[in-house]
Amino acid sequence: MTGPVLDIRGLRIALPKGADRPFALAGLDLSVNAGEIVCLVGESGSGKSLTAGAIMRLLPEPHVHVAGGAILFEGRDLLALPEREMKAIRGDRIAQIFQEPMTALNPQKTVGWQIDEVLRLHTRMDRKARRARVLEMLDLVHIPDPTSVHGAYPHQISGGQRQRVMIAMSLCLSPRLVIADEPTTALDVTTQLQILKLIRELQQKEDAGILFITHDFGVVAEIADRVVVLSQGEMVEHGPAAEVLNAPQHPYTRALITAIPALIPPKPRNFQGAPVVLRAQGLTKTFAPRGGLLGGKRRTVKAVDNLSFDLHRGETLGVVGESGSGKTTVSRIVTRLLEADTGAVEVNGKDLLACSPRELREMRRHIQMVFQDPMASLNPRKRVQDIIAQGPIVHGTDPATARARARDLLELVELSPAAATRFPHEFSGGQRQRIGIARALAMEPKVIVADEPVSALDVSVQAQVLKLLADLRDRLHLSLLFVTHDLRVAAQLCDRVIVMQKGEIVESGVTADLFADPRHPYTQQLLASIPGRGWTPPDLKTDAA
Amino acid sequence: QEPKRGGTIIVHMPSEQRILNPALRASTGVYNITGKIMEPLIDKTYDGPVGVLATEWSSTEDGLKITVKLREGVNWHDGKPFTCDDVAFSAMELWKPLLNYSSTLQQYLESVDCTDDHTAVFNYSQPMPLDLFVAAMPDLGHPVPRHLYEGTDIMKSEYNTAPVGTGPFRFVEYERGQYVIAERNDDYWRGAEYPYLDRIVWRFIPDKSAAAAAIEAGEIHESGFNGISMADLQRLSEMGGFDVGTQGYENNVAHSTVEFNHRNPILADLKVRQAIYHGLDIDYAIQTIMRGYAKPGRGPIPSAGGANYTDDVPTYAYDPELAKRMLDEAGYPAGADGIRFKLRHRPAPWGEYTQFWAEYFSQAMKEIGIDVEILTNDAPGFLNGVYRDHDFDTANGWHQFRSDPAVSTMVWLRSGSPEGTPWSNQFGWQSDEMDQMIDAAQAELDPAKRAERYHEIQAKAMAEIPVIFAIEHPFISVTTTKLKNHHNTPRWNSSSWYDLWLDE
Amino acid sequence: MTAATTDLPRAEAPRAVTLWRRFARNRAALLGLFLFGLVVLMALTAGLVEPVDPLRRAGDPLTRPFTDWAVPLGTDQLGRDILAGLFHGARISLLVGVLATLLSIGIGVLVGALSGFFGGWVDDVLMRVTEAFQTIPNFVLLLSLVAILGSSIEYITLAIAIVSWTAPARMVRAEFMSLRHREFVDAARNLGVSNASLIFREILPNALPPVIVYASVIMALSILLESALAFLGLGDPNFASWGNMIGQGRSVLRTDWYCAAIPGIAILLTVLSFSLLGEGLNDALNPRQKKT
Amino acid sequence: MHLSQVLSYALRRLLQAVPVVLLIMVGTFLLLKMAPGDTVDALVGDMGGADAAYIEKLRAEYGLDQPVWVQLWRYMAKIVQFDFGWSFVYEKPVATILWERLGTTLLLMGSSLSLAFTIGVVLGAVAARRAYSLTDNMISTLGLVFYATPSFFLSLMMILLFSVKLGWLPVGGVKTIAAFHTGWAHVWDVALHLIMPTAALSLIYLSFYLRLMRASVLEVVELDFVRTARAKGAGEARLMVHHIMRNALLPVVTLLGLQFSTVLGGSVVVETIFALPGLGQLAYQSVIQRDMNMLMGIIFLCAIIVVIVNFLTDLLYARLDSRIALR
Ligand SMILES: Nc1ncnc2c1ncn2[C@@H]1O[C@H](COP(=O)(O)OP(=O)(O)OP(=O)(O)O)[C@@H](O)[C@H]1O
Ligand SMILES: Nc1ncnc2c1ncn2[C@@H]1O[C@H](COP(=O)(O)OP(=O)(O)OP(=O)(O)O)[C@@H](O)[C@H]1O
Ligand SMILES: [Mg+2]
Ligand SMILES: [Mg+2]
Ligand code: NI
């Protein structure tokens, strides 16, 4: 085959009036050759998904539409094809894998049916042959028991398996081009690594071209042959993976790469002498089905099992583990947003879990929380200053004083005080998270519990927020209980980490020691799965702004 | 025209009659159906009373014994012969203890003796005027077959909804909520040529507009007792193909009344009541509400009341100015807002025109400065509110005149009915003089003297206005012209229709 | 980097303005607003523009419309002015609609909020009660209530509210169930905010939009229910309501159809205006569903 | 779904329904006792009057002279044995009358709801697929007009047009009386009689379903898996049938179960106009005649029907939604 499979020239996508910019994509040139993985990298909103949509001709027309350029697929301009021919190409010659494996599959059809649909739409195979092919594909993507998964509904299999099914579905007609839009973002690190490996493996076997969309340079390092970097719809840099990763030219790329947390833990600090501000003892939480006699049987989940830890003043304790390991449950028990079955949480020497409702409200000022989703954690109908001042007002501060202090806090978290009278939706993700932090600080707590505070943010923003948190912690002598699934983040911020699996602590220790010498196989596996762990981001500090 | 045999006619019933036994439930709705199946001892014609199951009747001088000769050769629909035993049983076990209205009439009935199979002697402990007995029999004198009722719980008998009688039609089917069917009785005592019709179906259609449509569409042949709205009656009468009129209801005349709660000191004042009467434009009401099918009322006895009626009574012409003056004089001047006082008015929920009456009353009273608030209620609410709780100032409704004042309208004027008795004098109005006049009239055996007494009562009632008998109106029926021999007796809808025929 | 982070996005127009813009994009909704405005205007000016008492005799009974300019839309069987009835009826219909809606939503919000917020046995008990109310055919319950309370307009309104609160209650409950696990609620709880404040200050404002949209449905249903009651002769005759007018007009439907048709069309247009308004509000409040 | 699962689910639902039904029964009983007057008043009103002694006798015979609590207790003691008692208005056992009326009601409700559901869903889907087009506007407007037309108004207009003017359809009743049709002729006859009442009753629900379906389809169309299906090369028809419909139906099915009792209420007016001997009219009559036993019987029956219908919609829901396991 000569020439690239996909050749995009000067692609421009127009956004409707009133959007933040007139073009979602302003002149993208990109080509994908057979047997090549091209990564399209960029921060949220940079136009990656719309590029994929344009290639598939599935943009939400008419208000978002291609305004110029050409998309050549095997030499033919897709933009000029009639819809009928385009339909024949979709799923057959070009296939797409989506980010959310749960929602991308029809919940009402079996997995087998959904893969089979591709064959039915594009081939004349009979039922038996199709079934055989589906089973073969399921086997190919390493699904343990293809026959049983064939008849299962999407909700009956795990996230990783769902993504495998998506991959099987997209590859079953050996397409020339596969567009993968953040196919691993929703997965655990260990699963992510398996899926990345699978994509690599299949791509080599099938010799297809892959356009791989991601925001994660770790993933890029893991998989890319070539890289294209997008910023606000502009292509700022492109080239072979090694070059872009290790010697980025454009300042934007450099900024992005600088923001990636290095896998090198900070120097251990000593907290032996510091007082314990938070002590959890024997925490256990089982989720049992409600309803008793009439509720029927459901399995019970032991989300947290006999968990104990200490947090010293000024220290940051990381809680890491895969999805479902019980991290969130711990953070919610510790703040008593969730009642534990047994155990004690001592804050300031007093057991929080034994407090009466009245005492509890008093105690709450000592232990505050920063939430994962910066949008969901701010009441959309309240102004920023009221959100921040609410806590102090509840605890008796005069409202005017509390609001004045709220404006000070905004400055402390590096936001303009002009923000005070706005509503949360008028802010970007990172800014919202700062508001969340300010709200926690307004209570002058001793301990801040942060549940994945940066995992919804882009890397550059993530870096800023982490830095802010570290600053504040040191300035205000805060203690942090930091819950994260991202080991890079944990490595950067935490003095100590505990590793959780299925509600239990499998290993804990000083971060540097633990990363250097993991004991437990689970920890080892986690560490080995970090994408791009073989790649150390180049030291570009000198250039950083 | 020569009568034709055969055919099915369909009759409209606005409401369902659940009990089909005229010896248990005295109401026109029940007669409308069961009149064809069960026959009374005596019926009424335009020429006066005629025997049906009775052939002759006479009374002793003292009025304590009434002898009734019964028709021979009459069989019940199940083939058993009709005898005096049936009459004696019905009178003692049903008419006296169980039949509404009849209990008052027969309260002094001691026993019924059967001197032979076809002679019944009614023994009374107080004199019973023969006229009264005869006048009451068409409604309150339906015998039931003793052999089917004796020894059972009469109220729960299956024959109460599947009547067995001696009439020209025998009961076939009662489909609840839909219809009742009766078919020709081949063994009818009047002879093989009767009845002419093969079958009668009574169809229940509660909605008046739908019923009018059904008549117009030819699905129904007759609708009586104002079963469809006055507007539709008028329209159909102008359309052709239908006979619309009041003939056949001479025995079923009703009064539209306005009732006062005399416990209210304002209304206890005769002047106020007179003013109210003067404030009512009766002719306007007759034209708009009754579409002209009515006359102004002249007291408790309607013009259909025969000799007992007189129109030589005081009347109250429509004169709002006079009414206002009278109210001023009575000490109720209009306030700043033009209102003199407020009345709470309960209309009887007997359909469209009692409702209209209430609204007209309210409208008319406003003109003379009386604010009337209408309290809408359903039947139990109305009966309770007016007759038990006396929770009203004024009320309106209609009341049927049952051919003799003694068994009907006198209860409106006579005091002494226990609290809660519907359609009795619960208005807080009492006049010993009136009570005596009523008792005397009832006990009077000489028809001429009796009539004289009732004329006096009528005049007194018009002078003192315990109740305004505003309008007297017969009922109105609509019949397709295909029906022949219809409405040819004064209680035609309740009669047996043995001579009704269909010209198709 | 500090400079970059303090850079706020440009301030947005006030909420009301954006809402209005979104609302105004929908032409049908504007029509609804127009009709609604018309009805409100009629209700407000009843007695001013149309000085006749709607229950008084204003002319000969059953005068046809446009024949006598003293009674432009004619008169009914008792000679009452239909135009005056239309104006005053607007007042009654709106009053019944608005009050019944407010009441039923009040009850619904309270029940739904408690049920959804606390869950557990509170939810169990309240939901059983709600189910009970939903199981009894609402119109039969309405008839029973009217039989008990009587047919005065206040009681009719109350009765309509009593039979219509279940839907908003379920709606609020569902909203509360999903909102109470939102992080902002946890955040407020974590600040020591009391349950009452959580319910009424934090969650309720966020739970209201769908209920506000649904209010238009209740409003429409209230008017329809009132007219059905009047049709069965259980309306309040002391006021000229459209339902009463239809109920009485139907007996002359065949000869003087305008007596029922004029108020019938008024009901239809009013209910239509509520529905259109509701859909417009829905589009404005849930921009996710809107398409241009 | 296994049969045993369904059965145990049914049992659980039944147990859950018990307190609700009890609540309803006691509540209704006490509520109606607050109404002024009782059956005897209504009966006497119906008869055109009676004297005081007669009235007292009736009241004693019906047990209405007892205190309310005694009456309630007696009633509840009977109802738990499924004895509905005696209707004083009809002088028949309540159960007999209910049984006679149930058929008509089920027929009317079944035909109205299924008609409303099918047509509503189809129109809603069509409207959503052509959202904001002329077709959509027409369908939506039609839906709104249906919704805004009082059913009694519609019924009267239909009678006028189809029965009186055109003479196509019978005015009311469930069958041609005294025609004694049998077999298919009977079925056809009944169907003819039900056309107008069904239409009158179903239009408002049709517009409900239409609007809900339209919104639901618009929502589902935005979901990821529809995009996936598009990316597979599926055409619009296929998308609709296989991917959108079933998911979009779910909220509509929920509404179907919830609305059953509302339909029964709505049928009061329609049954009155079309003289259909159904439960709706019976309920209305029972209220105004204070026929407690009858009304309680109807409400009990209605509760049972609602429980059954909800159970069936749950089953249907579980069939439609693979994610739902019966709990
Ligand atoms: N349907 C739409 N209507 C209007 N604007 C849209 C639409 N879809 C996307 N946009 C805008 O287009 C821009 C690019 O969106 P796109 O989804 O391609 O971003 P992305 O790079 O995939 O981001 P992410 O990493 O968050 O998925 C964004 O500013 C977004 O707001
Ligand atoms: N309210 C709940 N009811 C029942 N089970 C629950 C509930 N909350 C959590 N669980 C279960 O408890 C386990 C631990 O959940 P938790 O949210 O603490 O995990 P996590 O480590 O925070 O995962 P993630 O990284 O996905 O946020 C999971 O199996 C989850 O399904
Ligand atoms: Mg994207
Ligand atoms: Mg979590
Ligand atoms: Ni991540």
Side-chain angles (χ1 to χ4, degrees), chain D:
Chain D
M1 260 186 295
H2 295 287
L3 188 64
S4 64
Q5 241 177 318
V6 173
L7 282 180
S8 81
Y9 177 69
L11 191 74
R12 261 202 316 276
R13 284 299 298 255
L14 204 68
L15 284 178
Q16 275 169 343
V18 168
V20 178
V21 174
L22 272 180
L23 199 69
I24 293 172
M25 302 303 284
V26 174
T28 329
F29 194 95
L30 296 179
L31 195 71
L32 272 153
K33 282 291 170 196
M34 277 158 52
D38 58 19
T39 314
V40 172
D41 288 313
L43 281 177
V44 167
D46 228 33
M47 285 177 216
D51 51 57
Y54 179 77
I55 292 174
E56 277 324 303
K57 212 173 70 190
L58 272 187
R59 208 159 262 144
E61 179 165 325
Y62 297 160
L64 294 172
D65 50 348
Q66 303 286 324
V68 172
W69 294 109
V70 176
Q71 293 182 38
L72 176 63
W73 173 248
R74 283 190 190 162
Y75 185 82
M76 294 313 286
K78 273 200 269 177
I79 197 77
V80 295
Q81 303 163 38
F82 290 94
D83 176 357
F84 291 96
W86 186 266
S87 161
F88 303 132
V89 171
Y90 283 85
E91 290 295 357
K92 284 245 167 176
V94 167
T96 317
I97 295 170
L98 287 183
W99 188 245
E100 286 169 359
R101 300 265 178 143
L102 187 61
T104 312
T105 293
L106 287 183
L107 205 62
L108 182 63
M109 294 218 280
S111 58
S112 313
L113 271 184
S114 45
L115 204 74
F117 186 79
T118 338
I119 300 183
V121 161
V122 170
L123 285 184
V126 171
R129 289 312 284 144
R130 309 209 191 305
Y132 305 98
S133 72
L134 185 69
T135 323
D136 174 30
N137 284 340
M138 269 175 40
I139 293 179
S140 300
T141 311
L142 205 68
L144 285 173
V145 171
F146 284 164
Y147 170 73
T149 317
S151 64
F152 52 85
F153 196 63
L154 191 72
S155 305
L156 293 177
M157 293 299 158
M158 282 196 296
I159 291 185
L160 218 61
L161 180 63
F162 294 109
S163 303
V164 179
K165 287 264 168 342
L166 300 172
W168 292 349
L169 295 172
V171 173
V174 273
K175 60 184 180 194
T176 311
I177 299 167
F180 306 109
H181 291 300
T182 49
W184 285 111
H186 175 70
V187 172
W188 175 241
D189 186 44
V190 171
L192 273 185
H193 279 82
L194 283 181
I195 289 179
M196 285 197 291
T198 304
L201 195 56
S202 59
L203 283 186
I204 189 167
Y205 299 98
L206 191 153
S207 64
F208 266 125
Y209 296 135
L210 190 161
R211 278 152 38 124
L212 188 61
M213 186 66 185
R214 181 174 175 277
S216 178
V217 168
L218 282 181
E219 206 165 309
V220 172
V221 165
E222 303 278 304
L223 294 182
D224 281 357
F225 63 82
V226 178
R227 196 176 48 165
T228 308
R230 281 223 174 82
K232 284 196 235 175
E236 288 300 309
R238 189 174 179 85
L239 277 181
M240 197 68 213
V241 174
H242 287 284
H243 296 278
I244 299 174
M245 242 353 198
R246 194 157 155 191
N247 285 284
L249 268 179
L250 295 175
V252 189
V253 167
T254 317
L255 189 70
L256 187 69
L258 277 180
Q259 270 189 341
F260 203 78
S261 70
T262 322
V263 185
L264 194 89
S267 67
V268 171
V269 170
V270 172
E271 283 177 12
T272 308
I273 293 178
F274 290 100
L276 290 178
L279 289 178
Q281 205 201 109
L282 187 67
Y284 171 45
Q285 293 297 330
S286 307
V287 170
I288 61 175
Q289 290 175 315
R290 308 286 187 274
D291 192 351
M292 292 291 294
N293 287 357
M294 187 58 104
L295 189 66
M296 301 287 286
I298 294 172
I299 286 179
F300 186 78
L301 190 67
C302 184
I304 301 287
I305 295 178
V306 169
V307 168
I308 293 175
V309 168
N310 279 335
F311 173 69
L312 291 180
T313 45
D314 279 359
L315 282 190
L316 184 64
Y317 203 99
R319 275 286 293 134
L320 285 177
D321 190 349
S322 62
R323 287 164 297 188
I324 301 287
L326 292 180
R327 282 192 276 113

Side-chain angles (χ1 to χ4, degrees), chain C residues 4 7 31 35 94 97 101 104 143 147 154 202 204 277:
Chain C
D7 240 8
L31 176 68
L35 286 174
L94 275 191
T101 305
S104 70
L143 289 171
E154 311 92 51
E202 296 289 325
L204 194 57
L277 262 184

Side-chain angles (χ1 to χ4, degrees), chain A residues 287 301 303 322-329 452:
Chain A
F287 286 108
V301 178
E322 283 190 298
S323 184
S325 56
K327 308 183 296 292
T328 296
T329 310
E452 316 250 19

Side-chain angles (χ1 to χ4, degrees), chain A residues 290 332 335 337 361 364 367-369 371-373 376-382 390-391 394-395 414-416 418-419 422 425-427 431 434 439 443 464, chain C residues 1-2 4-12 15 120-121 123-124 181-184 186-195 201-203 205-206 209 292:
Chain A
R290 200 172 69 80
R332 290 170 58 82
T335 49
L337 290 172
R361 265 197 244 157
R364 286 211 185 276
I367 180 160
Q368 279 301 307
M369 201 157 175
F371 295 88
Q372 166 169 6
D373 186 339
S377 63
L378 302 178
N379 188 338
R381 291 186 181 261
K382 281 201 156 148
Q390 187 180 24
V394 166
H395 285 270
E414 295 162 11
L415 277 176
S416 145
R422 299 218 189 153
H425 69 270
E426 298 177 53
F427 296 87
Q431 289 171 334
R434 286 162 196 269
R439 167 173 59 190
M443 299 289 279
Q464 293 163 17
Chain C
M1 264 200 199
T2 318
T5 53
T6 51
D7 240 8
L8 297 181
R10 89 187 121 90
E12 277 185 19
R15 218 183 178 82
W121 67 266
D123 182 37
D124 273 344
H181 293 299
R182 284 285 181 79
E183 289 184 342
F184 74 83
D186 280 341
R189 192 199 305 270
N190 201 36
L191 293 174
V193 173
S194 67
N195 279 341
R201 299 256 179 90
E202 296 289 325
I203 308 185
N206 289 290
T292 26

Side-chain angles (χ1 to χ4, degrees), chain B residues 396-423:
Chain B
N396 79 294
W398 54 262
H399 190 66
Q400 207 173 321
F401 181 73
R402 291 164 193 272
S403 64
D404 192 287
V407 287
S408 50
T409 35
M410 287 305 117
V411 289
W412 291 80
L413 309 175
R414 179 80 171 79
S415 65
S417 300
E419 208 157 275
T421 313
W423 294 289

Side-chain angles (χ1 to χ4, degrees), chain B residues 184-352:
Chain B
R184 188 175 196 275
N185 174 14
D186 293 328
D187 182 29
Y188 188 47
W189 56 267
R190 283 187 208 262
E193 73 263 40
Y194 296 116
Y196 294 126
L197 295 172
D198 282 341
R199 191 180 288 116
I200 301 177
V201 177
W202 292 267
R203 203 172 142 189
F204 307 130
I205 304 180
D207 187 76
K208 292 191 173 198
S209 310
I215 290 194
E216 209 176 332
E219 288 184 29
I220 283 178
H221 294 97
E222 198 256 2
S223 170
F225 291 104
N226 297 25
I228 63 176
S229 71
M230 302 302 280
D232 281 319
L233 281 172
Q234 195 178 33
R235 189 171 53 82
L236 290 175
S237 76
E238 289 158 6
M239 221 169 88
F242 300 98
D243 293 330
V244 178
T246 60
Q247 198 183 346
Y249 290 106
E250 290 74 4
N251 198 45
N252 300 106
V253 175
H255 281 114
S256 272
T257 51
V258 176
E259 297 132 34
F260 301 105
N261 190 347
H262 298 263
R263 296 168 191 87
N264 180 336
I266 301 178
L267 296 173
D269 185 344
L270 176 60
K271 236 195 176 115
V272 172
R273 300 202 297 273
Q274 287 172 333
I276 288 178
Y277 211 152
H278 278 300
L280 288 173
D281 187 349
I282 304 287
D283 291 326
Y284 172 76
I286 289 175
Q287 286 313 317
T288 53
I289 302 176
M290 304 304 300
R291 304 263 166 165
Y293 291 99
K295 315 177 190 172
R298 290 289 176 258
I301 297 159
S303 55
N308 292 331
Y309 170 79
T310 177
D311 57 5
D312 182 19
V313 292
T315 54
Y316 303 86
Y318 175 56
D319 188 347
E321 292 313 314
L322 175 62
K324 284 184 204 165
R325 267 198 314 276
M326 291 174 76
L327 288 171
D328 288 339
E329 284 164 27
Y332 301 103
D337 52 354
I339 299 298
R340 299 164 194 276
F341 51 84
K342 215 183 137 182
L343 295 177
R344 293 167 71 248
H345 180 89
R346 281 194 193 272
W350 316 140
E352 185 192 11

